[in-house]
Amino acid sequence: MKPYLVQLTSMLLVVFFASHSVSAIGKSETASDDPWLEVLEEELVDVNPANVTGDIDIAGSSTVFPIAERLVEIFSQDGYTGSINVASIGSGAGFERWAKEAETDISNASRPIKDSERQEAIANGREPIEFLLGIDALAVVVNPDNDWATDISIEELAAIFSSEKWSDVNPSWPNQNILKFSPGTDSGTFDFFIEQVFDKNQEPLLAAANLQLSEDDNILSRGVQSNKYAIGYFGYAYYNEEKDSLRALDIEGITPNRATIDAASYPLARPLFMYSAASIFREKPQVAAFLGYALLNTQDVALGVGYFPVSDTDIQKSIDLYLTVLSEIGWF
C-alpha cells in the first residue's frame, strides 16, 4: 500500500486560506509497510501556523482543556499570532455554546455528542464532525492517609458515592462520613461516571450526603487533599499533577496507567474529542488549519500533559476524516 502525502497547495492558498499559508498537494510514491509512520514523517497536513490568521473560539470539557491549552501553546510557538480563546466549562456547557447557540468554533468533549445536541447543531447548519484527540483514564482518588480503601469494585464505588459513612459500605472501614467530590452535571466526566458506575441513573449520587459538585477539577483535588475521609474523581491528567498529594484507587484490581489503557483493561477509560463542522471550516479556515495541526501533534501532546495517546490506527481514521471533509468542500 502506498501512503499518500497531502499538503496544502497554492490553489488552496486562493480557495482555502486566502492569506493563510499552505503548501502543494501531492501523493508520496514511497512504499511503506507502515503507512502511518511514513505519513507522520512526511507530515500529512503541512500547516504553517505563522501564516494562519483569524481568531478561534474553543469551549467545553475541563478534561480536554489541558490538551487544547497545550496545542494552542505550541501552535503559537510555531508562529501563529492570532487569538485562540479556550474555555473550560464542561462538555455539556460546551455543546450548548457550540451546537445550540452556535457561538464557538470547536467544542471540547469527554463524551460523544448526544442526539439532542446533534440535532441542535444541525438546526444551526453545523453537521458535527468528531475528532478523537486522546484517551483518559478517569482517576478515582482518595487522601494519602486513607489506609483502608485500595482496590474497589464498580459496585463498591457506587456504594461509596451513595452512602453516608465508609462503614456503610464495609463494616471494617471507619465509621466516618464520606466526603464526596464530583464534577458538576454539565461535565462529561460526570456523565461518564454516572453511565459506568450508576448505570446512567444520576439520582443516587445527587441525593447523597456530603457531596460537593464543581466544574473546577482543582477544587475537587484540593477537597480530597484536605480530608482523610474524602474521595473524588476526575481526569487522569489532574491526578498526575497532584499524585504526590493524592492516591488513585485500583478499580476491579486494575491500576490506571499506560499499560492498562493500551490493553483496554482499565474499566474507567474513555475517549476525548474535539468537534467542529465543515460549515465552520468554510467560514473560518483558520479553524481547519488548527485542527489539522492538532491531529499531527495530539499524540505527543496527550502524553505530555498526562493523558494517553490514541493508537496509530485511530489517529489515522481522524486524519482520513479530516481530509475527506476538506475534499468534500472543494479545497482539493
Side-chain angles (χ1 to χ4, degrees):
M1 174 180 177
K2 294 183 179 180
Y4 49 82
L5 168 62
V6 177
Q7 295 176 318
L8 305 174
T9 69
S10 56
M11 176 189 70
L12 242 61
L13 189 60
V14 176
V15 178
F16 176 29
F17 281 139
S19 64
H20 302 59
S21 143
V22 283
S23 323
I25 291 179
K27 291 191 177 182
S28 169
E29 296 300 322
T30 305
S32 170
D33 292 332
D34 192 336
W36 167 249
L37 290 178
E38 180 75 13
V39 169
L40 180 61
E41 291 165 1
E42 297 283 0
E43 294 187 338
L44 179 63
V45 181
D46 185 12
V47 176
N48 182 354
N51 294 315
V52 177
T53 62
D55 297 346
I56 302 170
D57 197 7
I58 304 172
S61 167
S62 64
T63 305
V64 181
F65 179 78
I67 294 177
E69 184 180 45
R70 178 57 181 156
L71 285 169
V72 169
E73 181 181 355
I74 63 174
F75 196 57
S76 298
Q77 288 174 353
D78 282 348
Y80 172 71
T81 57
S83 174
I84 304 181
N85 179 56
V86 186
S88 175
I89 58 176
S91 296
F95 279 128
E96 183 171 357
R97 287 191 61 193
W98 184 82
K100 184 177 181 179
E101 305 299 335
E103 294 176 346
T104 56
D105 305 312
I106 296 171
S107 189
N108 294 337
S110 57
R111 60 162 173 81
I113 190 170
K114 297 177 180 178
D115 288 342
S116 59
E117 295 163 338
R118 179 178 296 277
Q119 293 308 312
E120 288 173 341
I122 291 172
N124 280 314
R126 297 179 161 199
E127 180 71 45
I129 305 171
E130 178 184 277
F131 298 106
L132 179 62
L133 269 287
I135 304 295
D136 177 32
L138 191 151
V140 180
V141 298
V142 294
N143 189 286
D145 291 335
N146 179 323
D147 58 4
W148 58 91
T150 55
D151 177 12
I152 61 175
S153 67
I154 294 293
E155 290 75 15
E156 287 174 321
L157 187 56
I160 289 169
F161 273 90
S162 56
S163 299
E164 183 174 356
K165 296 179 181 294
W166 286 99
S167 56
D168 294 336
V169 181
N170 186 324
S172 68
W173 289 351
N175 184 29
Q176 298 288 336
N177 288 338
I178 304 171
L179 306 183
K180 309 167 188 73
F181 292 86
S182 168
T185 56
D186 273 341
S187 169
T189 304
F190 175 88
D191 291 338
F192 178 78
F193 187 80
I194 294 299
E195 179 178 350
Q196 298 298 313
V197 177
F198 287 99
D199 195 25
K200 301 183 180 180
N201 180 12
Q202 64 183 3
E203 293 308 316
L205 175 59
L206 294 181
N210 303 307
L211 172 67
Q212 179 171 342
L213 301 173
S214 176
E215 305 297 343
D216 188 337
D217 292 324
N218 291 310
I219 290 176
L220 304 178
S221 176
R222 289 196 297 269
V224 177
Q225 291 176 42
S226 68
N227 194 289
K228 178 178 180 178
Y229 302 105
I231 187 170
Y233 65 93
F234 36 71
Y236 190 85
Y238 288 94
Y239 161 69
N240 197 49
E241 287 182 358
E242 303 290 338
K243 60 186 177 182
D244 292 337
S245 303
L246 296 168
R247 179 167 61 81
L249 300 178
D250 290 354
I251 307 297
E252 302 286 357
I254 301 171
T255 302
N257 57 36
R258 177 77 183 268
T260 60
I261 298 304
D262 287 348
S265 60
Y266 183 66
L268 296 180
R270 54 168 177 170
L272 305 175
F273 305 106
M274 284 184 175
Y275 283 82
S276 194
S279 58
I280 297 173
F281 285 8
R282 291 189 187 96
E283 181 182 352
K284 301 180 71 173
Q286 64 268 27
V287 177
F290 175 75
L291 279 168
Y293 183 90
L295 291 173
L296 281 177
N297 290 279
T298 188
Q299 287 181 303
D300 289 338
V301 166
L303 191 60
V305 299
Y307 291 124
F308 306 94
V310 299
S311 69
D312 290 350
T313 298
D314 284 338
I315 198 66
Q316 185 67 57
K317 289 178 181 177
S318 285
I319 290 171
D320 289 345
L321 173 60
Y322 173 81
L323 293 172
T324 297
V325 173
L326 296 191
S327 178
E328 288 178 348
I329 61 180
W331 286 352
F332 64 83

